[in-house]
Amino acid sequence: MQTDSAVLDTVDELDFAALLEESLAESKIERGDVVSGTVLSIDSQGLIVDIGWKQDGIVTRGDIERMGMNTADFQVDAAIDVAVVNLNDGDGNLILSAAQARQNEDWKRADELMQSETLVNGEIVDTNKGGVIVGFGHLRGFVPASHVLDIPRGLKEEERLAFLQNLVGNEITVKVIEVNRKRRRLVFSQLEAEQENRAARKAALLQELTEGSTRKGVVSGLCDFGAFVDLGGADGLIHISELAWHRVRHPSQVLALGDEVDVFVLNLDEAGKRIGLSLKRLQPNPWSLVDDIYHIGQLTEGVISRLESFGAFISLEPGIEALLHVSQVAANPEDNPLRHLYEGQKLLMRIVSIESDRQRLGLSLTEVTPAEKAQWEERQLELVAAAQLEAGQAQEETLDDSEAVAEA
């Protein structure tokens, strides 16, 4: 039978075990944690460090050398910040890193930059098949290839690696898009940084520009609905309807990438961050010249630009689009008057109406007499024959030049 003393000893032991368990629970650490410790001993293999856990940890000599230091740079009983690398290396050792702890401030800074969406400059120090490596203090961040600017499309893997390798040594502006200290993942994006830079430049440009002013720019992109023009770090859009006074099917009919152009600032939308530009507003409106060039009853040539059920739109010089109404195509109302017409066809027509203030000009085929039409068609045949003769002569001259070169 236990004595009172023995019972008390047992209770004390249980209380001590509970307190120890509670203490260990409170001091639980995980891989990646950065903690403060005290150097217990130093030898040629590294440091033994007390971090207030159930066992002391090891900082290897290799870890110390990665900081450009050696074991002689440390003293027993000195305070040291370390990162938990491995709770159990297989031999029961707690592995710590002073080098990773030193990177703690860089991790904090990276996290702050990500939260504030602040851009940062860094040098490309290395590459791999997935992208480029950028130095960041004592850390290295990764920029995936999909976030690297200006990588040509369609490159084979070895060509892409060569392209990325040529970027080593370049300084680039990046945005922090992922910070995971425990997994040691620091990911940057040059693409998102450029997008933010351009957004900032556009905001500044919107403050600088005024509607109705003229600006120089460079054509930076073409698409079905218009052309983008770089005005100095930010793009404005020339809508396809603002490229010319005449109808334009695609911007490539008027502009090419890299063209330097003067543009008219048509409208500014600060809320939507849009800049509307125009080319045609810097050119005379051809409709203002209509009354000087054309008159009712005049014969004129034109080319069909498009066909509709109600008639054909006709391109006239200089950039006028007139209408050949279906009722003016053929004298026989029961006939399908448009069946012989096609886009790109050249016609002789008579002007039957002019409303320059409403930008309307009406044409007629039925008002052209058979004699006028026959004379015009004969003239067209003469022009075709003359062009063919000129082309044949040019070809003969080219052959003669080639024979002369061969003889020489």
Side-chain angles (χ1 to χ4, degrees), residues 9-22:
D9 289 342
T10 301
V11 171
D12 288 343
E13 288 175 2
L14 290 173
D15 288 344
F16 177 78
L19 290 171
L20 179 61
E21 186 68 27
E22 183 180 345

Side-chain angles (χ1 to χ4, degrees), residues 223-227 237-255 264 266-267 276-283 285-287 306 319 321 359:
C223 58
D224 290 342
F225 55 82
L237 173 67
I238 308 174
H239 190 268
I240 193 167
S241 62
E242 291 293 331
L243 286 170
W245 289 104
H246 60 274
R247 181 172 295 277
V248 177
R249 290 184 177 276
H250 192 272
S252 58
Q253 294 177 295
V254 180
L255 297 171
F264 178 85
L266 189 61
N267 52 66
L277 306 173
S278 175
L279 271 186
K280 75 179 188 181
R281 304 303 172 103
L282 296 179
Q283 305 298 325
N285 185 342
W287 284 98
R306 61 192 172 106
E321 193 163 61
Q359 298 191 2

Side-chain angles (χ1 to χ4, degrees), residues 4 22 98 102 107-108 117-118 147 161 181 184 200 226 246 252 329 332 342 372:
D4 291 342
E22 183 180 345
R102 178 170 286 191
W107 285 111
K108 288 181 181 178
E117 298 188 343
T118 303
H147 285 259
L161 285 172
R181 188 182 307 184
R184 301 194 58 77
H246 60 274
S252 58
V329 175
N332 184 359
Y342 55 88
E372 290 170 334

Side-chain angles (χ1 to χ4, degrees), residues 94 280 322 358:
L94 169 65
K280 75 179 188 181
R358 300 176 66 186

Side-chain angles (χ1 to χ4, degrees), residues 41-48 58-64 71:
S41 65
I42 303 171
D43 61 29
S44 61
Q45 298 306 308
L47 314 177
I48 302 298
I58 299 171
V59 177
T60 66
R61 184 179 63 185
D63 182 75
I64 294 170
T71 54

Side-chain angles (χ1 to χ4, degrees), residues 394-406:
Q395 186 175 10
E396 288 179 3
E397 290 175 0
T398 301
L399 290 172
D400 290 342
D401 290 343
S402 298
E403 290 175 358
V405 171

Side-chain angles (χ1 to χ4, degrees), residues 208-369:
E208 177 187 337
L209 294 175
T210 56
E211 292 183 359
S213 62
T214 301
R215 186 90 176 196
K216 289 188 178 295
V218 177
V219 177
S220 58
L222 301 175
C223 58
D224 290 342
F225 55 82
F228 291 97
V229 177
D230 187 340
L231 300 176
D235 287 345
L237 173 67
I238 308 174
H239 190 268
I240 193 167
S241 62
E242 291 293 331
L243 286 170
W245 289 104
H246 60 274
R247 181 172 295 277
V248 177
R249 290 184 177 276
H250 192 272
S252 58
Q253 294 177 295
V254 180
L255 297 171
L257 288 176
D259 282 353
E260 294 185 3
V261 291
D262 290 323
V263 291
F264 178 85
V265 181
L266 189 61
N267 52 66
L268 301 171
D269 179 4
E270 292 190 28
K273 298 290 188 292
R274 290 188 289 267
I275 302 172
L277 306 173
S278 175
L279 271 186
K280 75 179 188 181
R281 304 303 172 103
L282 296 179
Q283 305 298 325
N285 185 342
W287 284 98
S288 65
L289 308 173
V290 164
D291 292 329
D292 296 328
I293 300 174
Y294 298 110
H295 60 270
I296 294 175
Q298 176 183 345
L299 287 175
T300 186
E301 293 178 349
V303 177
I304 298 177
S305 58
R306 61 192 172 106
L307 289 169
E308 301 290 351
S309 59
F310 53 82
F313 285 96
I314 309 295
S315 292
L316 304 178
E317 294 295 336
I320 301 295
E321 193 163 61
L323 176 64
L324 173 62
H325 193 268
V326 66
S327 63
Q328 296 292 332
V329 175
N332 184 359
E334 296 181 359
D335 190 17
N336 177 8
L338 300 177
R339 75 181 191 277
H340 297 302
L341 302 182
Y342 55 88
E343 292 185 7
Q345 184 179 5
K346 190 175 183 181
L347 300 172
L348 176 68
M349 296 152 291
R350 192 177 301 279
I351 299 174
V352 293
S353 65
I354 298 177
E355 298 176 83
S356 55
D357 58 328
R358 300 176 66 186
Q359 298 191 2
R360 292 182 179 181
L361 192 151
L363 302 171
S364 175
L365 279 176
T366 61
E367 295 292 323
V368 179
T369 67

